[in-house]
Amino acid sequence: MSTRAPLACLALLIAGPALAQNVESGPQAQFEASTGPVTVTSVQPPLPNADEYAVKVADLDANGDQRLDRSEVPDDHALHFEWSLVDRNRDGYVTDAELANWK
């Protein structure tokens, strides 16, 4: 019988607490699992342009037609880069309904 497996298990037991340190870098979500309460902490930093993902048509609608065409969206806006993902029906316009599904 090899002695490597027990040594590897021992190394994991010793390193476990160090690997499971509480990370305080992002938002937390809490829920109840079948085994008890669970807290999940994001280690991904918040997006610097997160507010752009909450945009409404009225925020950018320059001509007042209650829909956006690509020329109404600033070149550096997140919607400009993800236009083809948001314009689900591929009609060249983005509506509030399409924006509501964009996250």
Side-chain angles (χ1 to χ4, degrees):
M1 179 174 188
S2 171
T3 60
R4 289 185 184 180
L7 289 177
C9 289
L10 180 62
L12 285 174
L13 287 173
I14 293 170
L19 295 174
Q21 290 178 357
N22 190 6
V23 178
E24 301 282 340
S25 63
Q28 293 184 341
Q30 299 173 345
F31 60 94
E32 191 69 30
S34 61
T35 57
V38 176
T39 300
V40 179
T41 302
S42 173
V43 295
Q44 184 175 13
L47 291 173
N49 64 342
D51 58 325
E52 292 179 6
Y53 288 88
V55 70
K56 301 274 189 239
V57 167
D59 297 336
L60 300 173
D61 187 14
N63 62 9
D65 65 353
Q66 299 178 352
R67 61 185 186 174
L68 297 175
D69 63 54
R70 203 164 191 159
S71 68
E72 294 175 295
V73 179
D75 291 343
D76 62 345
H77 195 282
L79 180 55
H80 176 81
F81 298 106
E82 298 183 24
W83 184 269
S84 62
L85 298 173
V86 181
D87 182 15
R88 300 292 299 242
N89 63 2
R90 307 288 189 254
D91 65 352
Y93 298 97
V94 169
T95 63
D96 274 322
E98 289 172 317
L99 284 173
N101 294 317
W102 180 47
K103 303 289 179 231

